[in-house]
Amino acid sequence: MASSPQDKPSVYRHKGFISFMASRLLAVFATQVQAVVVAWQVYDLTRSPMALAYVGLAQFLPMLVLLLPAGDLIDRLARKPILAVAWGVGGVCSALLWWLSGHGASGVAGIYAVLVLFGCTRAFSGPALQSLLPQIVPREQLAPAIAANSMIMRAASIGGPFLGGVLYAIGGGELTYAVCCACLLAGAALLVWQVPVTHAGAPSPASGTMLERFGAGIRFIRTRPIILGTISLDLFAVLLGGVVALLPIYAHEVLHVGPQGLGALRSAMAVGEVSAGFYLSMRPFNHRVGRTMFIAVAVFGLANLVFSLSTVFAVSFVALMIAGAADMVSVYIRGALVQFSTPDHMRGRVNAVNMLFIGSSNELGEFRAGTSAAGLGAVHAAVLGGVCTLAVVGLWSRIFPTLRDVDRFEEAARPEDQ
């Protein structure tokens, strides 16, 4: 009789996985700390809201431009050195920001230039990180490894901004950027070298031009309904149903809870995500995964709908926790399906497209929520978003029956891709 997932050794006992997770934790922590401090410092120097917009734009645009060639390069070269170099250059960016922090308002233009370089590093580190994980753990432990990876990212996203504020209050930009530099250089870039890569396939041959190779990656995604349906479901569910951008309005005008309540609301979804991620990393499941993913996205939409109609803080908090937990279940299944459906020589390009979709859904989703709230009001915009998410679930379940009916992660892989 086949062993259940609970009978298999924990992914945390796998050689090299703890080192990989520690390096990921340090890198995400440094990125989150740096993001908070850069935004505070730039606004403190300029007192201009548009200056904050340029902070995000300076990092997003180079990442948008370089994601596709980065995915091609990751498929043709060893991924661990690419990741280590990207994080190492990120550490250099932190050192440059430390130097610029003593230049006052005259250093703002330099800060933007450094952020452009940092955005370039993220274009390589993101797809390389996702593509490296299947080369570290065996195939049967890939799903719980993805859950643990997502949990660590969310935990660092919770603690990073808080600790960034504390470090800045203690020692200003000099101390904070020094800590970020240490995390990326001495921690992430060096620690990742200790990770053994034991499940790597042969690199993709460099045939044709870069555009032709990336075109092959796009065609691959188009011919795999499971991959196309998975990443597009995430794109439209988050794009249409996200409520994070509306939380300040709800805290001030609907729930009347002030800044402390806003902080609690922002943490509620993350608490649900981390809790679900930890559970899935310890007790993974591999049955009726397609239908479970659609149910999880539907629960995400319903929970956001409850939040949008609630005027009671406790109900709103619990609704956001449930939305976060449902989103983590969806992330767990989506990540595993994409990895199982993609042969190793294609993972760089596929993960680059996936990262592009995720980045677009987050950035454009906040823009959609803000513009909808401006035109319809916050409550009507949130309700519309929840309804649209449920509509997307119903429509995608009909458009992608192969995705809906997949039972086990292993069924997502075609024989010719293994």
Side-chain angles (χ1 to χ4, degrees), residues 351-386:
N351 282 315
V353 173
N354 192 25
M355 186 175 175
L356 183 60
F357 273 51
I358 292 173
S360 299
S361 64
N362 291 330
E363 298 288 339
L364 296 179
E366 292 187 5
F367 178 76
R368 188 278 314 164
T371 54
S372 298
L376 303 173
V379 173
H380 290 91
V383 170
L384 179 62

Side-chain angles (χ1 to χ4, degrees), residues 25-335:
L25 177 62
L26 288 172
V28 177
F29 170 78
T31 301
Q32 292 292 327
V33 168
Q34 187 168 284
V36 169
V37 175
V38 165
W40 176 271
Q41 197 169 43
V42 168
Y43 186 74
D44 189 44
L45 292 171
T46 64
R47 297 296 176 178
S48 170
M50 282 304 299
L52 294 178
Y54 295 143
V55 166
L57 196 64
Q59 297 175 81
F60 179 72
L61 287 182
M63 193 165 60
L64 182 67
V65 171
L66 289 177
L67 268 175
L68 305 188
D72 175 66
L73 188 68
I74 290 164
D75 279 338
R76 295 190 292 108
L77 300 176
R79 291 159 187 170
K80 187 166 74 172
I82 293 176
L83 180 59
V85 169
W87 280 343
V89 176
V92 173
C93 291
S94 297
L96 291 172
L97 290 171
W98 169 79
W99 180 73
L100 287 167
S101 63
H103 287 66
S106 62
V108 173
I111 290 175
Y112 289 139
V114 173
L115 292 178
V116 169
L117 179 59
F118 191 69
C120 294
T121 69
R122 292 178 62 191
F124 287 88
S125 63
L129 187 71
Q130 299 299 327
S131 302
L132 180 62
L133 182 58
Q135 296 183 345
I136 296 172
V137 299
R139 195 174 182 85
E140 60 271 15
Q141 290 186 325
L142 183 56
I146 291 171
N149 190 48
S150 301
M151 176 194 65
I152 285 293
M153 184 177 68
R154 293 306 302 154
S157 299
I158 297 171
F162 173 76
L163 292 177
V166 172
L167 289 171
Y168 191 82
I170 294 173
E174 290 83 356
L175 173 63
T176 311
Y177 292 132
V179 170
C180 293
C181 181
C183 288
L184 286 166
L185 286 177
L190 295 181
L191 192 58
V192 76
W193 282 108
Q194 310 302 316
V195 178
V197 179
T198 56
H199 302 277
S204 179
S207 59
T209 66
M210 184 188 69
L211 288 177
E212 289 172 342
R213 291 191 297 271
F214 197 82
I218 296 295
R219 288 192 297 274
F220 175 83
I221 293 174
R222 288 178 57 190
T223 58
R224 269 48 176 193
I226 288 179
I227 300 178
L228 180 60
T230 296
I231 62 178
S232 60
L233 176 64
D234 173 64
L235 170 65
F236 287 102
V238 176
L239 175 65
L240 298 175
V243 296
V244 173
L246 302 178
L247 292 184
I249 302 175
Y250 265 83
H252 188 271
E253 298 181 7
V254 178
L255 301 174
H256 308 290
V257 291
Q260 296 84 359
L262 173 60
L265 291 175
R266 288 192 66 92
S267 68
M269 188 172 289
V271 169
E273 289 173 335
V274 172
S275 301
F278 180 75
Y279 178 84
L280 291 170
S281 69
M282 299 300 295
R283 299 181 65 85
F285 66 89
N286 191 9
H287 180 58
R288 296 172 63 89
V289 295
R291 292 181 183 274
T292 302
M293 182 182 67
F294 279 104
I295 292 172
V297 179
V299 171
F300 172 79
L302 284 170
N304 283 336
L305 196 58
V306 170
F307 168 82
S308 67
L309 295 171
S310 170
T311 56
V312 179
F313 176 78
V315 175
S316 301
F317 187 90
V318 172
L320 289 177
M321 280 188 60
I322 293 173
D327 186 52
M328 179 55 69
V329 173
S330 175
V331 167
Y332 163 77
I333 298 175
R334 292 196 317 262

